Structure formats: C-alpha cells, structure tokens
Amino acid sequence: MTTRPGRKRNDRRRLGAVSAVRGGRHPVADRHVRQSSRRLRKGLNVAAPTLFFCVGATKAGTSWLHEALSDHPECRFRSIKELHYFDALEHGRIAAQVSQITARRDDLAARIDGAPVLKAAELAVRVQDRNDWLSVLAKGEDIDAYQAYVMAGAGEARVVGDVTPAYALLPEQRLQQMAGLSGDVRFLYLLRDPIARLWSHVRMMAARRGPDGKVDPQRAQNILNRTLRGDEHEIEIRGDYAAALTRLRAVIPSDRLLCVYYEDLFDGDGMAQICDFLSISRISGDGARRVHAGAVLDMPAPLREKAGAWLVPQYEFVARTLGRLPLAWQANMQGV
C-alpha cells in the first residue's frame, strides 16, 4: 500500500508527541498565541496559510473531507475536526464545549498506557490538541488565540482549517466576522441530495437515541415523521440549503465561497474543484472509504414520497442558484 506524503508527516508528529504525554507534559496553545501575536504586530501575517472553513452541510461528506485534507502534504489540520468555536461564542456555549472537550481528552489519555507505540502516538497527538484547545477556550472570545491554534505547527503548509458544519447555521453578522479574519479566508459548503442527506441524518439520530447505539427501523421512521411535521427542528435546519446559502452568499465574496456537491466528491471533479479553490496540488481522495457512514436501512417508499414533496423547495432553490444538479438529484426530483 502506498503511503501518502501527509501520513509520513503526521506519523513524525505523533511519535514526537507520545513521549511528552506519557511523561506528563501537555503543551498548550499559549506559546503559539504569543508567537502569532508577535508576527501579527510585525506585519508578517501576509505569509500565513489560507484559513479554510468547511461549514457544512451535516451528513454531506465533511468528515471524509477532513480526513482527506489532513493527509494532504500542503495542509495542516488539527485532530479535532469540529472546533465549534464561533457557534459556541454565538450561543454562549463555551462552558459546554470545555466540558465536552475535557471529557474526551481524559478518555483518550486513559487509553495511551498499554497501547502499541503508533496507536499511543496517535492518541498523544489527540490529547495534546485538546489541551491546546482548552487553553484557547479558557480565554473566551479571543480571535488571535483561535487563529494561533489552527495555524500552530503549520510550517510550510498552504492551508489550515476548521471543519464545523454547524457554522452554516450562524447569523450573517457572525459569518461576516469569520470572513473578515486576517489573511486569506475561504469557505466551502457541501451539498448532498436532500432526500439522501435527510435519511442519513435521521438514521444517525436514531442510533444516538437508541439504548444500544444501533438503528431501530421504527425509531428512524418515527424521527422522520416528526421531522416532516416540523417537530425535529435541528434536523430540519441542518438540511435547509436555501437558508444557509442565502446567508453565506450575503456576506462572503463570491471568489471566497465554493459550493460542491457531495456526489461529485466521489464520482466527479469535486476534489479537483476544492484543491484548485485552495491553490493546493490536486488529490483524488479515497472514494472507496466512507467516514461515519450510517447503518444501511432503506427508507420506506411512502415516507420517501412524503420526504420528497417536503423537500421540493430545497431542490428548486439549489437548481435556481447553482444551476447544474447531479444525476442523483435529478432522479429524485423527477420522482417527486
């Protein structure tokens, strides 16, 4: 099996971190914050890498993309895929983020002792990233600290980033703040066929709400019916492409916003579009590997018909706004 250049770099980072964590040392972001602040004061931030935000949509390939770009030799992504920084600021949830990240860090740290060397090294990097991130969260709203965190260790990387689908739900003012950060800031919004995205989201929630983490077909159908009645607000807004695109296009310059279809990531030129947009070498990505793929469960035909009718406004808005639709979208539109 061929090893990607990005994996070699990441392996070196992991091996360098494991001894630090096993020795009880936890590097924090303060050092990177100070270094970044000095660079900003000296006016050297023009050489900083592109800050890339992938803002959704939920269940539209964002985890797969995070892994693909993390392995790219010209990119530098921290191991925490979804930082949830700007939505935590917007909704006053910093304390909740601290609690969640702390619990996850402690779980990862507990697994280091006794793990094989390479696995321990991977866990050590993830623990270090969470300690660094907790130091940023402790500062509250500190944009310099946030940028220093995502750019720490970038070296010669051309792109750093934050892949948080919840950012697509932010109001225009907060999105405008993100777009106005120093340096080159770019946004990506991934769109998946509305029916397929909805059913994937429903299956994920059915698994989360089940006692054993498995998808019960009846529970999934009940959640879908509640969604179609307007009783599952979170699922509904995550798939509201019309609202998200309207907000994004209102405040982000057109040359800084790219919309790509999920279907094109695997069966088209989606990755080429993204790489060109970020000015990095093209990669194809591992299309055979899915990340966080939901359990296989067909949507019952009557519910599929109801979901299709409910989602007609989304199909029509995207067709008007972006023009070309992938074949899967066209087939589902015709079946409505």
Side-chain angles (χ1 to χ4, degrees):
M1 180 176 65
T2 302
T3 302
R4 299 178 188 171
R7 288 198 184 279
K8 292 181 180 178
R9 180 197 62 203
N10 290 338
D11 285 345
R12 287 195 296 270
R13 181 182 174 225
R14 291 167 185 152
L15 289 170
V18 66
S19 59
V21 174
R22 278 182 165 162
R25 294 183 289 112
H26 299 293
V28 296
D30 290 341
R31 179 178 70 259
H32 305 304
V33 172
R34 291 193 298 270
Q35 292 172 348
S36 178
S37 297
R38 285 196 294 269
R39 287 196 297 270
L40 290 171
R41 286 195 298 270
K42 292 178 181 179
L44 299 179
N45 59 313
V46 292
T50 292
L51 176 54
F52 168 66
F53 289 112
C54 179
V55 297
T58 300
K59 304 305 293 182
T62 58
S63 294
W64 181 91
L65 181 65
H66 178 261
E67 287 207 1
L69 291 180
S70 293
D71 286 339
H72 195 296
E74 297 167 37
C75 298
R76 164 75 164 108
F77 284 77
R78 305 300 289 256
S79 64
I80 306 174
K81 174 208 165 195
E82 300 185 22
L83 293 177
H84 284 286
Y85 185 64
F86 293 97
D87 55 309
L89 291 177
E90 182 67 25
H91 303 297
R93 295 176 183 164
I94 291 292
Q97 281 295 304
V98 169
S99 177
Q100 181 179 351
I101 295 296
T102 299
R104 183 58 174 156
R105 179 208 55 194
D106 292 347
D107 174 67
L108 293 168
R111 293 158 52 189
I112 292 177
D113 286 341
V117 173
L118 285 178
K119 182 62 177 179
E122 176 193 345
L123 291 169
V125 168
R126 295 169 69 185
V127 168
Q128 176 179 320
D129 280 352
R130 282 154 181 80
N131 277 312
D132 290 356
W133 185 233
L134 287 169
S135 294
V136 176
L137 293 177
K139 300 174 184 295
E141 184 162 1
D142 188 329
I143 301 303
D144 284 349
Y146 167 82
Q147 288 191 268
Y149 174 83
V150 296
M151 293 188 181
E156 297 181 358
R158 304 184 68 176
V159 174
V160 298
D162 178 353
V163 180
T164 303
Y167 290 164
L169 308 180
L170 291 171
E172 291 179 11
Q173 184 176 4
R174 186 66 73 174
L175 290 169
Q176 193 167 34
Q177 177 194 27
M178 295 165 63
L181 296 181
S182 61
D184 182 21
V185 182
R186 295 175 182 250
F187 291 75
L188 171 69
Y189 189 62
L190 296 173
L191 302 92
R192 183 179 183 179
D193 171 70
I195 292 177
R197 195 221 69 82
L198 171 62
W199 187 232
S200 179
H201 199 163
V202 164
R203 298 198 317 272
M204 178 181 73
M205 298 310 298
R208 287 183 179 178
R209 295 176 187 178
D212 54 4
K214 296 181 180 179
V215 178
D216 175 73
Q218 188 58 56
R219 183 181 298 109
Q221 292 179 39
N222 291 342
I223 293 173
L224 179 55
N225 275 316
R226 286 198 298 272
T227 303
L228 300 180
R229 292 197 305 265
D231 297 331
E232 291 280 354
H233 181 65
E234 188 69 16
I235 296 176
E236 180 178 354
I237 61 175
R238 295 278 181 148
D240 191 349
Y241 296 153
L245 285 172
T246 297
R247 289 191 297 270
L248 290 166
R249 288 160 63 92
V251 297
I252 300 171
S254 59
D255 63 340
R256 294 293 182 266
L257 172 64
L258 177 67
C259 297
V260 171
Y261 292 115
Y262 164 93
E263 292 77 10
D264 288 344
L265 289 177
F266 310 108
D267 299 317
D269 65 348
M271 277 305 299
Q273 291 183 56
I274 293 170
C275 290
D276 290 350
F277 177 64
L278 297 175
S279 299
I280 57 177
S281 304
R282 288 186 176 186
I283 58 171
S284 59
D286 185 359
R289 184 172 187 272
R290 297 295 192 269
V291 178
H292 297 162
V296 176
L297 178 67
D298 291 334
M299 184 188 297
L303 282 178
R304 187 178 186 85
E305 184 176 349
K306 289 175 61 178
W310 186 68
L311 289 166
V312 163
Q314 300 301 327
Y315 283 101
E316 292 180 342
F317 180 89
V318 174
R320 289 195 308 270
T321 305
L322 302 184
R324 182 191 71 86
L325 294 179
L327 293 177
W329 290 56
Q330 296 178 41
N332 279 331
M333 283 188 71
Q334 292 171 2
V336 172

